[in-house]
Short mmCIF file of all heavy atoms in Angstrom, two decimals:
data_model
loop_
_atom_site.label_atom_id
_atom_site.label_comp_id
_atom_site.label_asym_id
_atom_site.label_seq_id
_atom_site.Cartn_x
_atom_site.Cartn_y
_atom_site.Cartn_z
N TRP J 1 -242.81 -137.45 91.27
CA TRP J 1 -243.02 -136.02 91.41
C TRP J 1 -241.73 -135.25 91.12
O TRP J 1 -241.76 -134.15 90.56
CB TRP J 1 -243.55 -135.68 92.80
CG TRP J 1 -245.03 -135.91 92.93
CD1 TRP J 1 -245.65 -136.94 93.59
CD2 TRP J 1 -246.07 -135.13 92.36
NE1 TRP J 1 -247.01 -136.84 93.45
CE2 TRP J 1 -247.30 -135.74 92.70
CE3 TRP J 1 -246.09 -133.98 91.57
CZ2 TRP J 1 -248.53 -135.22 92.30
CZ3 TRP J 1 -247.32 -133.46 91.17
CH2 TRP J 1 -248.51 -134.08 91.54
N ASN J 2 -240.58 -135.81 91.48
CA ASN J 2 -239.31 -135.18 91.14
C ASN J 2 -239.16 -135.06 89.63
O ASN J 2 -238.73 -134.02 89.10
CB ASN J 2 -238.14 -135.99 91.70
CG ASN J 2 -237.99 -135.86 93.20
OD1 ASN J 2 -238.55 -134.95 93.81
ND2 ASN J 2 -237.24 -136.76 93.81
N ALA J 3 -239.51 -136.12 88.91
CA ALA J 3 -239.38 -136.11 87.45
C ALA J 3 -240.33 -135.10 86.82
O ALA J 3 -240.01 -134.48 85.80
CB ALA J 3 -239.66 -137.52 86.90
N ARG J 4 -241.49 -134.89 87.43
CA ARG J 4 -242.48 -133.98 86.87
C ARG J 4 -242.14 -132.51 87.11
O ARG J 4 -242.46 -131.66 86.29
CB ARG J 4 -243.86 -134.27 87.48
CG ARG J 4 -244.44 -135.62 87.11
CD ARG J 4 -245.65 -135.94 87.96
NE ARG J 4 -246.25 -137.21 87.60
CZ ARG J 4 -247.22 -137.79 88.28
NH1 ARG J 4 -247.69 -137.22 89.38
NH2 ARG J 4 -247.72 -138.95 87.89
N LEU J 5 -241.51 -132.20 88.23
CA LEU J 5 -241.42 -130.81 88.65
C LEU J 5 -240.01 -130.23 88.74
O LEU J 5 -239.86 -129.03 88.90
CB LEU J 5 -242.09 -130.65 90.02
CG LEU J 5 -243.59 -130.93 90.08
CD1 LEU J 5 -244.11 -130.77 91.50
CD2 LEU J 5 -244.35 -130.01 89.14
N SER J 6 -238.98 -131.05 88.63
CA SER J 6 -237.62 -130.54 88.82
C SER J 6 -237.11 -129.84 87.56
O SER J 6 -236.26 -130.35 86.84
CB SER J 6 -236.67 -131.68 89.21
OG SER J 6 -237.06 -132.26 90.43
N ASN J 7 -237.64 -128.65 87.30
CA ASN J 7 -237.20 -127.90 86.12
C ASN J 7 -236.54 -126.60 86.56
O ASN J 7 -237.17 -125.76 87.20
CB ASN J 7 -238.40 -127.59 85.21
CG ASN J 7 -237.95 -127.11 83.84
OD1 ASN J 7 -237.28 -126.10 83.72
ND2 ASN J 7 -238.31 -127.85 82.80
N PRO J 8 -235.26 -126.39 86.22
CA PRO J 8 -234.55 -125.21 86.69
C PRO J 8 -234.67 -124.00 85.77
O PRO J 8 -234.19 -122.92 86.10
CB PRO J 8 -233.09 -125.70 86.71
CG PRO J 8 -233.03 -126.63 85.55
CD PRO J 8 -234.38 -127.32 85.49
N THR J 9 -235.32 -124.14 84.60
CA THR J 9 -235.34 -123.08 83.60
C THR J 9 -236.72 -122.44 83.50
O THR J 9 -237.69 -123.11 83.15
CB THR J 9 -234.95 -123.64 82.22
OG1 THR J 9 -233.71 -124.34 82.33
CG2 THR J 9 -234.81 -122.52 81.19
N PRO J 10 -236.85 -121.14 83.80
CA PRO J 10 -238.17 -120.50 83.73
C PRO J 10 -238.76 -120.52 82.32
O PRO J 10 -239.93 -120.84 82.14
CB PRO J 10 -237.89 -119.07 84.20
CG PRO J 10 -236.62 -119.14 84.96
CD PRO J 10 -235.82 -120.23 84.32
N ILE J 11 -237.95 -120.16 81.32
CA ILE J 11 -238.44 -120.10 79.94
C ILE J 11 -237.35 -120.63 79.01
O ILE J 11 -236.17 -120.27 79.15
CB ILE J 11 -238.80 -118.66 79.53
CG1 ILE J 11 -239.92 -118.11 80.41
CG2 ILE J 11 -239.23 -118.61 78.06
CD1 ILE J 11 -240.26 -116.66 80.14
N SER J 12 -237.72 -121.48 78.08
CA SER J 12 -236.77 -121.95 77.07
C SER J 12 -237.46 -121.94 75.71
O SER J 12 -238.65 -122.20 75.59
CB SER J 12 -236.26 -123.35 77.39
OG SER J 12 -237.32 -124.29 77.38
N ASP J 13 -236.69 -121.62 74.68
CA ASP J 13 -237.17 -121.58 73.29
C ASP J 13 -236.21 -122.42 72.48
O ASP J 13 -235.04 -122.05 72.33
CB ASP J 13 -237.21 -120.13 72.81
CG ASP J 13 -237.85 -119.98 71.43
OD1 ASP J 13 -238.11 -121.02 70.80
OD2 ASP J 13 -238.06 -118.83 70.99
N SER J 14 -236.66 -123.56 71.98
CA SER J 14 -235.74 -124.53 71.39
C SER J 14 -236.22 -125.04 70.04
O SER J 14 -237.41 -125.03 69.74
CB SER J 14 -235.57 -125.74 72.33
OG SER J 14 -235.25 -125.34 73.64
N LEU J 15 -235.25 -125.46 69.24
CA LEU J 15 -235.52 -126.16 67.98
C LEU J 15 -234.95 -127.56 68.09
O LEU J 15 -233.80 -127.74 68.50
CB LEU J 15 -234.88 -125.45 66.79
CG LEU J 15 -235.61 -124.26 66.18
CD1 LEU J 15 -234.76 -123.64 65.08
CD2 LEU J 15 -236.97 -124.67 65.62
N PHE J 16 -235.76 -128.57 67.75
CA PHE J 16 -235.32 -129.95 67.79
C PHE J 16 -235.42 -130.55 66.39
O PHE J 16 -236.44 -130.41 65.72
CB PHE J 16 -236.18 -130.77 68.75
CG PHE J 16 -236.08 -130.34 70.18
CD1 PHE J 16 -236.98 -129.42 70.71
CD2 PHE J 16 -235.08 -130.83 71.00
CE1 PHE J 16 -236.90 -129.02 72.03
CE2 PHE J 16 -234.99 -130.44 72.32
CZ PHE J 16 -235.90 -129.52 72.84
N ASP J 17 -234.36 -131.21 65.96
CA ASP J 17 -234.36 -131.91 64.68
C ASP J 17 -234.39 -133.41 64.91
O ASP J 17 -233.60 -133.93 65.71
CB ASP J 17 -233.13 -131.55 63.85
CG ASP J 17 -233.21 -130.15 63.26
OD1 ASP J 17 -234.33 -129.60 63.22
OD2 ASP J 17 -232.18 -129.62 62.84
N GLU J 18 -235.30 -134.08 64.24
CA GLU J 18 -235.37 -135.54 64.27
C GLU J 18 -235.20 -136.04 62.84
O GLU J 18 -235.84 -135.51 61.92
CB GLU J 18 -236.72 -136.01 64.82
CG GLU J 18 -237.02 -135.51 66.22
CD GLU J 18 -238.43 -135.84 66.66
OE1 GLU J 18 -239.21 -136.31 65.80
OE2 GLU J 18 -238.76 -135.65 67.84
N ILE J 19 -234.34 -137.01 62.64
CA ILE J 19 -234.12 -137.56 61.31
C ILE J 19 -234.44 -139.05 61.33
O ILE J 19 -233.80 -139.82 62.05
CB ILE J 19 -232.67 -137.34 60.83
CG1 ILE J 19 -232.37 -135.83 60.78
CG2 ILE J 19 -232.46 -137.98 59.46
CD1 ILE J 19 -230.94 -135.51 60.39
N ALA J 20 -235.44 -139.42 60.56
CA ALA J 20 -235.82 -140.83 60.44
C ALA J 20 -235.06 -141.42 59.25
O ALA J 20 -235.17 -140.92 58.13
CB ALA J 20 -237.32 -140.96 60.23
N THR J 21 -234.28 -142.45 59.50
CA THR J 21 -233.53 -143.12 58.44
C THR J 21 -234.20 -144.45 58.13
O THR J 21 -234.41 -145.27 59.02
CB THR J 21 -232.07 -143.36 58.87
OG1 THR J 21 -231.47 -142.11 59.20
CG2 THR J 21 -231.29 -144.01 57.75
N HIS J 22 -234.53 -144.66 56.86
CA HIS J 22 -235.26 -145.85 56.45
C HIS J 22 -234.31 -146.93 55.94
O HIS J 22 -233.14 -146.67 55.63
CB HIS J 22 -236.28 -145.48 55.38
CG HIS J 22 -237.20 -144.37 55.80
ND1 HIS J 22 -238.14 -144.53 56.79
CD2 HIS J 22 -237.30 -143.08 55.38
CE1 HIS J 22 -238.80 -143.40 56.96
NE2 HIS J 22 -238.32 -142.50 56.12
N ALA J 23 -234.81 -148.14 55.86
CA ALA J 23 -233.99 -149.28 55.47
C ALA J 23 -233.41 -149.14 54.07
O ALA J 23 -232.35 -149.69 53.76
CB ALA J 23 -234.82 -150.56 55.56
N ASN J 24 -234.09 -148.39 53.19
CA ASN J 24 -233.59 -148.23 51.81
C ASN J 24 -232.53 -147.13 51.70
O ASN J 24 -232.08 -146.81 50.60
CB ASN J 24 -234.74 -147.94 50.86
CG ASN J 24 -235.46 -146.63 51.18
OD1 ASN J 24 -235.05 -145.89 52.07
ND2 ASN J 24 -236.54 -146.37 50.45
N GLY J 25 -232.18 -146.53 52.83
CA GLY J 25 -231.13 -145.51 52.82
C GLY J 25 -231.65 -144.08 52.79
O GLY J 25 -230.89 -143.14 53.00
N SER J 26 -232.92 -143.89 52.51
CA SER J 26 -233.49 -142.54 52.49
C SER J 26 -233.71 -142.04 53.91
O SER J 26 -233.75 -142.82 54.86
CB SER J 26 -234.81 -142.53 51.71
OG SER J 26 -235.79 -143.32 52.38
N SER J 27 -233.87 -140.73 54.04
CA SER J 27 -234.08 -140.14 55.36
C SER J 27 -235.05 -138.98 55.26
O SER J 27 -235.26 -138.41 54.18
CB SER J 27 -232.76 -139.67 55.97
OG SER J 27 -232.17 -138.66 55.18
N GLU J 28 -235.64 -138.63 56.39
CA GLU J 28 -236.61 -137.54 56.43
C GLU J 28 -236.39 -136.72 57.70
O GLU J 28 -236.28 -137.26 58.79
CB GLU J 28 -238.04 -138.08 56.40
CG GLU J 28 -239.10 -137.00 56.37
CD GLU J 28 -240.50 -137.57 56.26
OE1 GLU J 28 -240.64 -138.80 56.42
OE2 GLU J 28 -241.44 -136.80 56.02
N LEU J 29 -236.30 -135.38 57.50
CA LEU J 29 -236.10 -134.47 58.62
C LEU J 29 -237.43 -133.98 59.16
O LEU J 29 -238.33 -133.62 58.40
CB LEU J 29 -235.26 -133.26 58.17
CG LEU J 29 -235.19 -132.09 59.15
CD1 LEU J 29 -234.37 -132.47 60.38
CD2 LEU J 29 -234.59 -130.85 58.47
N ARG J 30 -237.54 -133.93 60.46
CA ARG J 30 -238.69 -133.33 61.13
C ARG J 30 -238.14 -132.33 62.14
O ARG J 30 -237.38 -132.69 63.03
CB ARG J 30 -239.54 -134.39 61.82
CG ARG J 30 -240.80 -133.85 62.50
CD ARG J 30 -241.57 -135.00 63.14
NE ARG J 30 -242.73 -134.55 63.88
CZ ARG J 30 -243.93 -134.35 63.35
NH1 ARG J 30 -244.11 -134.56 62.06
NH2 ARG J 30 -244.95 -133.94 64.09
N ARG J 31 -238.50 -131.06 61.98
CA ARG J 31 -238.01 -130.00 62.88
C ARG J 31 -239.18 -129.47 63.70
O ARG J 31 -240.25 -129.16 63.17
CB ARG J 31 -237.38 -128.87 62.07
CG ARG J 31 -236.96 -127.65 62.90
CD ARG J 31 -236.06 -126.73 62.12
NE ARG J 31 -234.78 -127.37 61.88
CZ ARG J 31 -233.81 -126.82 61.14
NH1 ARG J 31 -234.00 -125.66 60.54
NH2 ARG J 31 -232.66 -127.44 60.98
N ILE J 32 -238.96 -129.36 65.00
CA ILE J 32 -240.01 -128.94 65.93
C ILE J 32 -239.53 -127.75 66.76
O ILE J 32 -238.41 -127.77 67.30
CB ILE J 32 -240.41 -130.10 66.86
CG1 ILE J 32 -241.01 -131.25 66.04
CG2 ILE J 32 -241.41 -129.65 67.91
CD1 ILE J 32 -241.30 -132.49 66.85
N SER J 33 -240.35 -126.73 66.84
CA SER J 33 -240.09 -125.57 67.70
C SER J 33 -240.87 -125.74 69.00
O SER J 33 -242.07 -126.02 68.98
CB SER J 33 -240.52 -124.28 66.99
OG SER J 33 -240.55 -123.20 67.91
N THR J 34 -240.17 -125.57 70.13
CA THR J 34 -240.81 -125.74 71.43
C THR J 34 -240.54 -124.53 72.31
O THR J 34 -239.39 -124.13 72.49
CB THR J 34 -240.27 -127.00 72.14
OG1 THR J 34 -240.52 -128.14 71.32
CG2 THR J 34 -240.97 -127.20 73.48
N VAL J 35 -241.60 -123.93 72.82
CA VAL J 35 -241.49 -122.86 73.81
C VAL J 35 -242.04 -123.40 75.13
O VAL J 35 -243.18 -123.88 75.18
CB VAL J 35 -242.27 -121.60 73.39
CG1 VAL J 35 -242.14 -120.52 74.47
CG2 VAL J 35 -241.77 -121.08 72.05
#
């Protein structure tokens, strides 16, 4: 329950970038907006 509810921020607006790097050296960006 602590893990589920211990949030100190009323509202947050964020951008997250994830980059998948493949064995052949190529990569792919995934950007996510979270409110």
